[in-house]
Amino acid sequence: MSETGTSSDACPYCGARALRRTHTGLYHRLKRDHGPFDFYECGTCGSGTTCPLPSDEALRALYASFNEGLPAEMRDAMAGGEAWHATCVRRIGRLRGVSSDSRFTWLEIGAGAGEMACQMARAYPQATGRAADLHERPRSLPSQVSWLQVDLNGDTLALGEPADVVYATGVWEHVRRPDVFVDNLVRMLSKGGLLYLMCPNYASLARRLLDTRWPYFTPGEHLTMPSPRGAEACIRRAFSERPARIVSRPFWLTYSIRYTALRFGLPGARWMPAGWRLPMPVGALESVALT
């Protein structure tokens, strides 16, 4: 990185060599010894990225302090599943054109504590599901869902046979190489299948207004975050050898008021009713590829 805040390194999403430093000396908001980090924005597509990335050792220490992929207080606030998981399950059903009686295969990458996998199993009981993440199998995962313990930052993910639906929600921003990650997901997608990604939108109005107070802006944990343009460019490269209809767009997600208040660090958040939920312009990005 140069002292002027520009970089000769390429954007991990669109590939342009147009990174500009926007933040310096950042630390993780919950784990204050994780850092410091600098953050950059791509002048071509508007995606954001950490440079340099934290070491493997630092990332292992960070996630060792978490509870199945999330800080403990966030895991407690979710109480078995946030409202946005159900939103994504419904979206997958509509986009793939499946119902509760449909027989198909699905694969979740970065399943955390298995909240969304549980909802997928309930919504589509005739489907065959697999879920994968770095840690051991969550206790709450239904027996009919297979569990794969894999390093999501690996160059090649050993995930078995291709699936009709491959999805990752709240995962893309965590991996060191978002382009390699998407390549692996596309490789696991059956012909005629659906790729579904939900992640923070770095080009969103919420991010631009809130800057470092944007809840998704978590230095050293959310390593990179795409814009719609960057996400689409990255996915399109992964589908360079097979046809696909690709759309990446801002999306309002339904969150509980308590979970949102905890994310913002608001006083009294822990005592707010978990059942209060609203669609919110939090700055989420939905990326879909239909083959």
Side-chain angles (χ1 to χ4, degrees), residues 4-29:
T4 61
T6 60
S7 169
S8 60
D9 295 333
C11 170
Y13 291 98
C14 76
R17 296 184 179 277
L19 297 184
R20 302 187 300 255
R21 186 167 56 205
T22 57
H23 300 83
T24 61
L26 301 171
Y27 287 82
H28 193 280
R29 67 181 66 196

Side-chain angles (χ1 to χ4, degrees), residues 59 63 66 69 153 170-176 221-224:
L59 285 175
Y63 286 108
F66 286 1
N153 282 308
V171 181
W172 209 4
E173 66 271 24
H174 291 270
V175 298
R176 297 174 64 89
E221 180 186 350
H222 291 175
L223 306 180
T224 70

Side-chain angles (χ1 to χ4, degrees), residues 80-270:
E82 245 303 316
W84 65 269
H85 291 128
T87 302
C88 293
V89 169
R90 288 193 297 270
R91 288 290 294 160
I92 287 171
R94 291 176 188 148
L95 290 164
R96 186 65 174 82
V98 294
S99 67
S100 60
D101 297 327
S102 299
R103 296 183 181 274
F104 64 99
T105 57
W106 57 264
L107 172 63
E108 179 178 4
I109 312 297
E115 299 96 342
M116 191 166 164
C118 289
Q119 296 198 27
M120 284 288 289
R122 287 195 297 267
Y124 310 110
Q126 303 302 316
T128 301
R130 285 171 288 157
D133 213 326
L134 180 63
H135 49 266
E136 294 181 353
R137 181 187 179 93
R139 293 185 297 273
S140 60
L141 198 68
S143 59
Q144 67 266 34
V145 178
S146 301
W147 181 259
L148 304 166
Q149 190 170 356
V150 297
D151 180 0
L152 303 184
N153 282 308
D155 290 338
T156 302
L157 301 181
L159 298 170
E161 295 297 317
D164 300 317
V165 172
V166 176
Y167 69 90
T169 58
V171 181
W172 209 4
E173 66 271 24
H174 291 270
V175 298
R176 297 174 64 89
R177 289 286 307 277
D179 52 344
V180 172
F181 181 72
V182 169
D183 285 344
N184 275 306
L185 268 57
V186 170
R187 181 175 54 84
M188 293 306 305
L189 191 63
S190 299
K191 184 178 180 181
L194 166 69
L195 174 66
Y196 186 86
L197 297 167
M198 185 69 75
C199 70
N201 176 7
Y202 195 72
S204 66
L205 178 62
R207 197 278 304 170
R208 286 182 276 129
L209 289 176
L210 296 173
D211 194 40
T212 58
R213 286 189 57 79
W214 186 44
Y216 294 141
F217 193 78
T218 312
E221 180 186 350
H222 291 175
L223 306 180
T224 70
M225 289 177 281
S227 65
R229 184 177 176 183
E232 189 168 329
C234 186
I235 297 170
R236 199 166 296 283
R237 284 200 310 274
F239 278 100
S240 60
E241 297 182 359
R242 57 192 293 194
R245 180 163 58 90
I246 300 165
V247 178
S248 188
R249 65 185 187 95
F251 195 84
W252 282 39
L253 282 176
T254 299
Y255 274 97
S256 72
I257 303 298
R258 181 172 68 177
Y259 183 81
T260 304
L262 277 170
R263 276 290 190 181
F264 277 103
L266 299 180
R270 295 178 180 278

Side-chain angles (χ1 to χ4, degrees), residues 65-72 74-75 78 115 221 259 263:
S65 69
F66 286 1
N67 178 5
E68 294 180 324
L70 278 180
M74 297 303 167
R75 175 65 64 203
M78 288 175 68
E115 299 96 342
E221 180 186 350
Y259 183 81
R263 276 290 190 181

